[in-house]
Each structure stands twice: as structure tokens, then as C-alpha cells.
Amino acid sequence: MSVLDPGVLRGVTARRLSTALRGRRFEEPHRHGKWLLTPAQGPVVLLHFGMTGSLTWHRPDEPRHRHDRVVWELPDGELRYRDMRKLQGVRLTATTKEADETLATLGPDALDLSRDDLTAALTHHRGRLKTTSRTRRPSPAWATSWPTKSAGEPASTPYAPPAT
């Protein structure tokens, strides 16, 4: 493993990350909002993708991109964490329970939220969805991925008045 930009690490050093993962295999990953949780036979690597992050597979001879931040070198290629903005970056927890606690304030993941759950959350609120999702606590993970407008652009969020 190579940490090409330690500025992407949050709460962990490159040495500690490397030591914690040495000799371990990644297990089945799962997502929560913009986070990918990757258990590694005990420790869990949390990768935040935000709007610009990605995790991509490359042949070892492929040139690295200037925004590749962490690279896992494997026998038949490289797994590269790329993120232009580096806002939330890469974290390490000792256990899956600790990883879940780290993300507990996000609320439910969009893929875990049923239509009935969404209806219940919004039933007694009037207003735009983004405003509602940003003011309810804890903020659900689906709220953080709702599109926002850029400065000087008209709002692009669709609006439908609530049913009465």
C-alpha cells in the first residue's frame, strides 16, 4: 500500500494504516451515503467519495493520475483511491462496530430507506425536500447527496407541493 498524499488521511497516519492492513484481505464492502466501508479481517477502512472521489482498478504499468491519493498494490493490478477535493478522505477504525458508530449521525442510507420510511419522515412537514432533509436530525444519508445549485445558477431542485 502506498499513501501518495497523506493529506487525505483523517485520524490515522500512513504508517498506522499500512500496519493495520498488512497481511489482511478486504472482505465484502458496503456503502453508506458517500462512504464505502471496507472491512479487512478486523479493521475497517472508510473511504469517502463526495462529489469527486472514486475507487478504480488499474494495471500496474498504467500511469497514476495526479489525484490518486492511496494505492493498494496487488499481484495483478492496483486499486486506487482518487479524490480531487480530499474533504473527508480515508479513515480507519478497529472494528465494524466502531465504523458504524463513526457514521451513526448520518441516519439511514438512501438504499435502506423504504418509500414508507420516507413518507413517514416527510408527512408532517411542508416545504422543499432539501430544506426538510437538512433540518431534520439526524440527517439521513440521502439528504447529503441531493443536488445543490451553484452560485449564480437557478435552483435545479424539483419541487412538488405536499399532498393535503
Side-chain angles (χ1 to χ4, degrees):
M1 185 190 87
S2 300
V3 176
L4 306 177
D5 184 351
V8 76
L9 302 178
R10 303 288 181 267
V12 65
T13 64
R15 176 178 281 168
R16 185 168 150 238
L17 182 63
S18 179
T19 300
L21 298 178
R22 188 171 292 122
R24 298 180 189 268
R25 295 177 63 95
F26 284 121
E27 299 167 344
E28 186 73 24
H30 63 281
R31 65 175 287 278
H32 190 101
K34 295 178 184 178
W35 290 93
L36 181 68
L37 289 77
T38 53
Q41 299 175 315
V44 179
V45 178
L46 289 84
L47 303 166
H48 189 269
F49 294 104
M51 299 296 283
T52 61
S54 65
L55 188 63
T56 55
W57 181 258
H58 298 269
R59 292 185 323 268
D61 60 336
E62 285 183 54
R64 291 190 176 151
H65 187 276
R66 68 185 182 129
H67 295 128
D68 288 344
R69 308 299 183 182
V70 180
V71 177
W72 286 271
E73 295 98 357
L74 303 166
D76 52 347
E78 295 181 342
L79 191 57
R80 300 179 186 175
Y81 172 71
R82 180 178 298 168
D83 193 5
M84 182 176 73
R85 298 181 68 199
K86 305 190 294 185
L87 296 177
Q88 293 291 323
V90 178
R91 298 173 189 269
L92 177 71
T93 62
T95 64
T96 300
K97 181 181 177 193
E98 187 180 328
D100 290 341
E101 289 169 358
T102 300
L103 302 181
T105 60
L106 292 180
D109 181 75
L111 295 179
D112 295 333
L113 194 65
S114 71
R115 179 182 210 131
D116 291 340
D117 293 336
L118 181 60
T119 299
L122 300 176
T123 296
H124 300 290
H125 185 81
R126 294 175 98 41
R128 295 182 184 267
L129 179 59
K130 183 160 187 171
T131 305
T132 300
S133 68
R134 297 282 188 191
T135 59
R136 297 176 89 70
R137 298 285 180 237
S139 175
W142 52 266
T144 62
S145 61
W146 193 263
T148 58
K149 68 175 188 165
S150 299
E153 293 180 8
S156 61
T157 306
Y159 174 70
T164 55

